[in-house]
Amino acid sequence: MNHKKHICIIVDCLCGGGAEKVAATLSFLLENNDYKVSIIAVRNEITYNYRGILYNLGENESSIKWVRHIKKVLLFRKYYKLINADFYIDFRMRDRFIMESLLHFLVFENRKMIFSIQHYNIAYHIPKGKIFKRLYNKAKTIVAVSLDIEKELKRYHSFSNIKYIPNFVNKDLLTTSKVPPKDVPNNAILAIGRLNNPVKQFDKLILSYKNTSSFIKGIPLFILGDGPDRLKLETLIESNNLQAHVKLLGFVSNPYDYIKQCKFLVLCSKFEGMPLVILEALTLEKPVISFNCKSGPSELIVHKENGLLINNQDFHELEKSIDLLQQDKALYNKMINNAQKSVDKFDAYHMIKHWESCFNI
């Protein structure tokens, strides 16, 4: 089969996070548009469906840290050369100076590299130091997934190769079953994300939920996701006697069933990038309540049209917004009707054109 080009996607893993899900979805999009696809995964955590040939660096890892890291760099170099792609799209967290230095000097060809910046805190993706400013400026493209990230990149770096390509959804992959999840009423409040309180703030969400009339009426809060703060959240739930009201469901392979079944989605992060979960909820015709945090929500939510975009970090307003969507049926139905069409421009059909512009030589 003749392919347009060979594209290799580089990820930390194919599990759990929004960036990883975007990478997996991109593999489908590229293959469906006649590109040969390869994927290099650093960790052996593979749950998302993907397309292409997978090179898993995390298999048969050594228990000795320095041996493990050296082996991964050598494997990275081996597979990078073996794949010999036209371009490599890197979705990884790239904040480790030594590891990134080794990869840039032993593995990467700058002219082939496309670096995705998935977080508003751009230091997660660009290590500190003048050397990386020079290296990134020589890359093929630096992709900003939100307009705020694009502004932040231009504010701190004099890169000449920045391109705005937002995250996207493939509607065909958002499959929901005919049988809704058990024990999830259709008025349930839903939150999804990594259980990392300093960023996602699920601890503050739980306490805010306790101050709502929705809690008094017995409307439950479901939280999907795993992470380092699960035990803290379990302790918080128990100490506030919320076991019957707040459910931590862990990582769920098909969150779309829960999105489709719930009343609406809540996002209360300290900061984001371009939140894929908002796109998914709106595509599945569910309104979203979100802080107007940096960055992404303001590009997706039109206040009182497809959701509620509230003052950043105003948890009192969050409490009122949760009750508003439970009580105001006219407003809620309006949002339901507007939700899917409000994110049509973020579907796969529109995004392939943006990505293909990165592959021009």
Side-chain angles (χ1 to χ4, degrees):
M1 180 178 177
N2 293 324
H3 297 284
K4 292 179 180 177
K5 282 184 172 67
H6 186 178
I7 308 299
C8 179
I9 297 170
I10 304 173
V11 291
D12 286 309
C13 62
L14 286 171
C15 175
E20 291 77 14
K21 187 181 288 187
V22 172
T25 305
L26 181 59
S27 73
F28 280 86
L29 180 62
L30 292 172
E31 186 177 87
N32 290 342
N33 283 273
D34 299 327
Y35 288 89
K36 182 178 180 180
V37 179
S38 298
I39 300 175
I40 296 175
V42 177
R43 299 198 305 271
N44 186 24
E45 300 170 20
I46 314 296
T47 57
Y48 293 142
N49 292 326
Y50 63 89
R51 287 290 183 268
I53 301 173
L54 175 66
Y55 297 83
N56 188 344
L57 307 186
E59 293 180 320
N60 304 315
E61 285 188 330
S62 171
S63 59
I64 303 171
K65 186 176 181 180
W66 68 268
V67 173
R68 183 168 65 247
H69 288 173
I70 290 175
K71 182 181 177 182
K72 282 192 177 180
V73 171
L74 294 176
L75 279 175
F76 215 134
R77 179 183 173 91
K78 173 184 175 181
Y79 290 140
Y80 189 99
K81 290 186 174 181
L82 177 66
I83 293 166
N84 192 27
D86 293 290
F87 295 104
Y88 297 79
I89 307 173
D90 192 346
F91 284 88
R92 294 176 306 118
M93 299 282 276
R94 300 180 296 272
D95 55 348
R96 295 180 296 173
F97 183 89
I98 294 176
M99 177 60 75
E100 295 309 310
S101 297
L102 289 172
L103 291 176
H104 273 275
F105 290 106
L106 297 178
V107 181
F108 295 159
E109 297 176 72
N110 283 325
R111 64 184 178 83
K112 291 187 173 185
M113 297 304 300
I114 298 170
F115 293 109
S116 178
I117 311 296
Q118 289 281 331
H119 291 269
Y120 182 72
N121 185 348
I122 58 178
Y124 285 171
H125 291 292
I126 304 177
K128 295 180 181 179
K130 293 181 180 179
I131 187 171
F132 284 101
K133 290 185 178 182
R134 292 198 295 270
L135 289 170
Y136 272 61
N137 205 34
K138 293 178 181 179
K140 179 67 172 68
T141 310
I142 298 172
V143 173
V145 300
S146 77
L147 294 173
D148 282 326
I149 290 175
E150 182 182 30
K151 290 177 183 177
E152 195 75 352
L153 282 168
K154 291 179 178 179
R155 177 183 174 190
Y156 287 103
H157 302 287
S158 56
F159 297 139
S160 58
N161 53 353
I162 300 170
K163 188 174 184 61
Y164 166 64
I165 306 179
N167 289 339
F168 67 98
V169 292
N170 185 336
K171 294 178 182 179
D172 295 335
L173 300 181
L174 302 187
T175 56
T176 59
S177 59
K178 294 181 180 180
V179 180
K182 295 180 180 179
D183 303 322
V184 180
N186 58 15
N187 63 352
I189 303 160
L190 184 66
I192 302 176
R194 182 168 168 76
L195 304 186
N196 179 14
N197 289 334
V199 178
K200 299 299 184 180
Q201 304 190 121
F202 289 128
D203 51 346
K204 294 182 180 179
L205 171 61
I206 290 169
L207 294 176
S208 293
Y209 160 76
K210 191 179 178 182
N211 293 329
T212 66
S213 63
S214 298
F215 161 70
I216 295 172
K217 294 176 181 178
I219 298 170
L221 168 64
F222 291 87
I223 299 175
L224 304 184
D226 278 319
D229 289 326
R230 184 182 181 101
L231 182 58
K232 290 181 180 178
L233 292 174
E234 289 174 346
T235 302
L236 179 67
I237 291 168
E238 290 176 8
S239 64
N240 284 273
N241 298 312
L242 294 171
Q243 297 94 321
H245 300 84
V246 180
K247 304 294 183 181
L248 302 180
L249 301 182
F251 175 78
V252 176
S253 59
N254 186 0
Y256 313 124
D257 284 341
Y258 289 85
I259 295 173
K260 197 69 177 175
Q261 177 69 5
C262 77
K263 182 103 177 189
F264 54 83
L265 184 88
V266 176
L267 187 142
C268 59
S269 300
K270 195 83 171 178
F271 58 87
E272 282 284 345
M274 174 59 84
L276 187 62
V277 69
I278 295 181
L279 277 170
E280 291 172 337
L282 293 174
T283 301
L284 292 171
E285 301 180 323
K286 293 297 176 179
V288 180
I289 300 173
S290 175
F291 287 142
N292 188 11
C293 65
K294 299 291 186 180
S295 65
S298 63
E299 293 180 46
L300 304 173
I301 299 173
V302 180
H303 188 59
K304 291 191 174 182
E305 293 294 327
N306 62 355
L308 298 176
L309 188 66
I310 60 179
N311 292 326
N312 193 20
Q313 307 308 307
D314 189 337
F315 281 89
H316 180 60
E317 187 178 357
L318 177 65
E319 295 164 11
K320 293 191 296 182
S321 298
I322 289 173
D323 286 337
L324 177 63
L325 281 198
Q326 292 288 0
Q327 297 164 3
D328 192 329
K329 293 183 179 179
L331 177 62
Y332 179 78
N333 288 332
K334 174 185 176 183
M335 293 178 178
I336 287 287
N337 292 331
N338 291 335
Q340 189 176 94
K341 62 185 178 183
S342 71
V343 290
D344 279 347
K345 66 180 179 180
F346 296 101
D347 68 12
Y349 172 77
H350 291 90
M351 287 306 111
I352 186 60
K353 300 173 184 177
H354 294 288
W355 280 108
E356 286 191 319
S357 69
C358 293
F359 308 148
N360 295 328
I361 299 175

